[in-house]
Amino acid sequence: MSMDMGSLYSDIILEHNQNLENKHELDHCTVSEHGHNPSCGDDLTLQADIENGIIKDAAYTGHGCAISQASADIMVDLMKGKSVKEALRLIDLFLSMIKREVTDDDKLEELEDAIALKNISNMPARVKCAVLAWHTLKEALERENNK
Amino acid sequence: MVMINVRKDFPILTKMHNGHQIVYFDNAATTQKPYQVIHAIVDFLENHNGNPHRGAHILSIEATEAYDAAKKAVARFINAKSPDEIIFVRNTTEALNLVARSYGEANLHAGDKIVIPISEHHSDLVPWQRVAAKTGAKLVYMYLDDTGHFTDEDLAKIDEHTKIVAFAAVSNVLGMKRPIEKIIQKAHSVGAIAVLDGAQSAPHMKSDVQKWDCDFYAFSGHKMLASAGTGVLYGKMELLKSMEPFLSGGDMIEYVQEQSTTFAEVPYKFEAGTENVEGAVALHAAIDYLEDIGFDAIEAHEYELTKRCLEGMKKLPYIHILGSTDPEEKVGVISFTIDGVHPHDAATILDSYGIAVRSGHHCAQPLGHHLHVEASNRASFYIYNTVEEVDYFLSMLPKVRKQMGLNA
């Protein structure tokens, strides 16, 4: 594992880590899911307000490292206004990027700022930080889909 | 200043990472292994490997001899009365589970108390939770003040209802030495047994189970230069004799009939299945190695590193040390937080400079809740670490802040 810290803790990641706009409880939500990395203590709760299959609003609360917080913030930005189906597809695309199954930047473009987390795949110890929010939302949305 | 010059014995310490020589400060998690230990394992496997206690052939006999010699070395190492008081298990966790199951579950009842410090790691906490849930006993915590010390009020929780007092001789998070004999005397004064977790003491200070008068003592070989999968449970013979086996199967039996079995003597009663003989050989070699250096030298060396590191960290206003900041009270384990930097990010950035520190809750979540610190970093030293490494580590702490866009 060799990695330049500047490309991991890039401005985009540091900005999203410090951005608190998506870090709060929703006044009204239809789904809420708790995600936890027991080995490191990262802990977050994701909320979404879904109406007619569209994610009208989403937010998260909790605590964790810069990677987990930035990842959650980026994801919430990306998901607002998307349909549940579309959101699930983007989550899978993100997880495929982390697993290096999809590496083509053109295909990853629709992940927007989340592409900044691409390099985390070089750091096995930190992958779980990056994917926590996405796995948590996936679980919530799949339950919503099965209703 | 006592400096131990053993680095040449540890091949892994020359490893490079990201263009830097590895600085290994995660010794509280596991230590590196010297050639003496590595070669002992290889020699056993190349020349003596057999299944101990089970054969009449030369290799089984040599394996038995190697295994028994390791027990003698461990008995000497912790000053047990007899090698028969030594049970080999996989690790501290398994040793404590053995006590919890075979002693705790059999002897505790509703209304009894188990008293442990809030600083215990999960290995010495979760098994007692389970004993409490199963027997109706109550698990009671001794809390700590801001500097990591027990208060007299908390020690008073050890009362006539208490049947078990379990505690770590050294906290794996705070690195602080506990008043071992004082707590054990208190436990015995109310008729309780004392279970001592030595995971973080056995590598760093002289263990003396007779002087301490502990009833059980558990530790892991891999934290003191031996290979993983080598754990030790010491128990007073009378207690061990009174206990039922933990696991059952091969080699722990006397006679087996279709419907019933009588068990072998202590310690074999507690060592079901084929033993980890190369692990025992590794532990033996590690003990010889540590005894050659001597614990006076080990303690003095680690004290120098800890003192220097604490002094350097205290100069950085954004660093917070958990528990006592007095090096006299520590054994080379320093947990800390950095303002504005999550411990995982700090560990990743330090790793990019070749420095290995732990991040997370260090398997002691209730302590984190008590201190309102969900996660921290931990730098822990051992005999092969140097002043130069400590200075390098200290010089990188401002860079961690800078990397995260904060003022150093």
Side-chain angles (χ1 to χ4, degrees):
Chain A
M1 185 181 82
S2 168
M3 169 141 232
D4 166 25
M5 287 298 105
S7 75
L8 180 65
Y9 295 106
S10 58
D11 290 346
I12 235 178
I13 297 294
L14 296 183
E15 272 165 31
H16 279 286
N17 176 40
Q18 279 151 21
N19 178 31
L20 298 176
E21 272 172 43
N22 293 324
K23 192 170 180 177
H24 57 85
E25 284 188 22
L26 285 184
D27 292 337
H28 178 261
C29 74
T30 55
V31 292
S32 176
E33 187 73 34
H34 183 219
H36 182 215
N37 277 332
S39 66
C40 58
D42 286 356
D43 194 305
L44 66 84
T45 300
L46 252 157
Q47 293 181 321
D49 186 13
I50 299 170
E51 208 180 285
N52 299 326
I54 303 290
I55 301 171
K56 276 177 58 192
D57 202 2
Y60 76 100
T61 53
H63 56 81
C65 62
I67 302 296
S68 76
Q69 301 289 289
S71 186
D73 187 57
I74 290 170
M75 184 190 77
V76 168
D77 276 348
L78 184 65
M79 295 305 173
K80 283 182 198 170
K82 300 276 192 313
S83 69
V84 169
K85 198 179 153 198
E86 177 70 351
L88 282 168
R89 191 183 65 79
L90 290 169
I91 292 170
D92 283 342
L93 180 61
F94 177 82
L95 296 175
S96 300
M97 174 183 81
I98 298 292
K99 283 188 253 174
R100 284 195 237 187
E101 289 163 3
V102 179
T103 52
D104 184 347
D105 280 345
D106 289 343
K107 284 185 188 151
L108 296 174
E109 206 172 317
E110 52 184 336
L111 290 175
E112 299 175 16
D113 281 1
I115 297 179
L117 288 158
K118 191 179 177 187
N119 283 331
I120 207 87
S121 56
N122 297 324
M123 313 198 72
R126 302 305 301 277
V127 163
K128 63 182 187 303
C129 311
V131 298
L132 176 62
W134 301 72
H135 277 304
T136 307
L137 182 64
K138 187 175 178 178
E139 223 163 278
L141 295 182
E142 280 176 346
R143 210 176 43 231
E144 179 76 8
N145 246 0
N146 292 334
K147 266 185 189 169
Chain B
M1 184 178 279
V2 178
M3 284 298 136
I4 300 175
N5 187 19
V6 292
R7 290 183 69 86
K8 64 182 187 318
D9 294 335
F10 292 81
I12 208 167
L13 298 179
T14 59
K15 185 179 168 82
M16 300 295 286
H17 169 58
N18 228 11
H20 303 277
Q21 192 170 314
I22 288 262
V23 172
Y24 188 74
F25 280 177
D26 196 16
N27 294 288
T30 198
T31 56
Q32 301 303 340
K33 322 303 175 195
Y35 280 121
Q36 287 82 343
V37 167
I38 297 167
H39 290 168
I41 298 170
V42 172
D43 174 63
F44 174 78
L45 294 175
E46 284 185 350
N47 299 303
H48 310 291
N49 179 51
N51 199 322
H53 305 138
R54 288 162 172 83
H57 59 78
I58 184 64
L59 291 176
S60 175
I61 291 163
E62 288 183 8
T64 306
E65 283 171 356
Y67 191 73
D68 292 349
K71 282 224 165 137
K72 275 190 194 145
V74 172
R76 185 184 73 226
F77 182 70
I78 63 169
N79 194 30
K81 276 185 194 154
S82 155
D84 291 341
E85 292 175 318
I86 307 301
I87 298 159
F88 280 155
V89 290
R90 284 186 305 151
N91 42 44
T92 307
T93 303
E94 185 171 303
L96 294 168
N97 271 272
L98 194 163
V99 179
R101 296 288 287 274
S102 293
Y103 183 88
E105 287 183 12
N107 290 288
L108 267 65
H109 304 95
D112 291 339
K113 276 168 67 175
I114 305 164
V115 179
I116 69 172
I118 192 69
S119 49
E120 292 310 284
H121 65 151
H122 297 158
S123 301
D124 197 31
L125 190 156
V126 181
W128 302 118
Q129 271 183 353
R130 296 184 71 196
V131 170
K134 237 178 186 166
T135 61
K138 197 171 172 201
L139 180 58
V140 176
Y141 289 97
M142 293 190 282
Y143 295 101
L144 307 169
D145 64 19
D146 289 345
T147 55
H149 296 88
F150 298 122
T151 61
D152 286 342
E153 193 185 311
D154 278 300
L155 279 173
K157 290 175 179 171
I158 303 172
D159 61 14
E160 71 276 13
H161 301 293
T162 309
K163 292 292 181 290
I164 293 175
V165 177
F167 67 102
V170 170
S171 156
N172 74 313
V173 178
L174 306 174
M176 294 167 69
K177 293 180 253 188
R178 294 309 187 190
I180 298 172
E181 286 168 78
K182 183 179 170 186
I183 296 174
I184 291 172
Q185 281 164 15
K186 174 86 182 172
H188 288 165
S189 75
V190 298
I193 64 148
V195 182
L196 192 58
D197 171 350
Q200 222 47 258
S201 57
H204 303 287
M205 57 197 244
K206 175 74 190 134
S207 298
D208 191 332
V209 294
Q210 290 192 67
K211 180 170 139 243
W212 293 336
D213 198 25
C214 55
D215 298 285
F216 294 101
Y217 186 52
F219 61 98
S220 289
H222 74 95
K223 291 188 200 285
M224 45 176 277
L225 310 180
S227 51
T230 57
V232 172
L233 176 66
Y234 156 84
K236 282 182 180 165
M237 183 50 83
E238 287 313 306
L239 285 169
L240 293 173
K241 278 185 178 168
S242 75
M243 286 155 56
E244 288 286 306
F246 173 48
L247 300 169
S248 43
D251 210 34
M252 52 77 71
I253 51 89
E254 185 185 37
Y255 295 108
V256 181
Q257 290 158 338
E258 280 195 24
Q259 301 298 329
S260 65
T261 295
T262 55
F263 303 120
E265 291 293 300
V266 173
Y268 308 108
K269 177 169 87 174
F270 295 106
E271 294 182 351
T274 295
E275 298 83 352
N276 177 7
V277 192
E278 58 265 46
V281 166
L283 182 57
H284 188 173
I287 285 171
D288 287 348
Y289 188 88
L290 290 171
E291 285 181 341
D292 263 359
I293 299 170
F295 276 98
D296 287 345
I298 292 170
E299 286 190 62
H301 176 76
E302 291 177 8
Y303 172 78
E304 290 297 338
L305 300 180
T306 308
K307 183 165 164 263
R308 194 175 183 100
C309 194
L310 286 168
E311 278 170 3
M313 292 172 101
K314 281 183 205 169
K315 287 180 193 150
L316 305 172
Y318 43 81
I319 300 274
H320 303 280
I321 295 156
L322 304 191
S324 173
T325 57
D326 178 358
E328 298 271 0
E329 296 191 316
K330 300 217 183 215
V331 299
V333 175
I334 303 172
S335 293
F336 61 97
T337 57
I338 306 176
D339 281 347
V341 186
H342 192 279
H344 297 325
D345 299 313
T348 295
I349 296 164
L350 288 169
D351 176 65
S352 76
Y353 296 117
I355 301 168
V357 298
R358 179 77 184 267
S359 59
H361 51 55
H362 319 304
C363 299
Q365 278 182 319
L367 175 65
H369 291 307
H370 177 64
L371 299 175
H372 306 292
V373 179
E374 296 303 331
S376 61
N377 288 112
R378 179 180 70 188
S380 50
F381 314 126
Y382 208 36
I383 50 175
Y384 35 71
N385 292 125
T386 64
V387 168
E388 290 74 22
E389 287 180 318
V390 169
D391 290 345
Y392 175 64
F393 166 70
L394 289 169
S395 73
M396 289 302 144
L397 292 173
K399 297 200 175 193
V400 171
R401 288 264 303 176
K402 268 193 180 152
Q403 188 74 65
M404 297 304 291
L406 301 161
N407 292 329

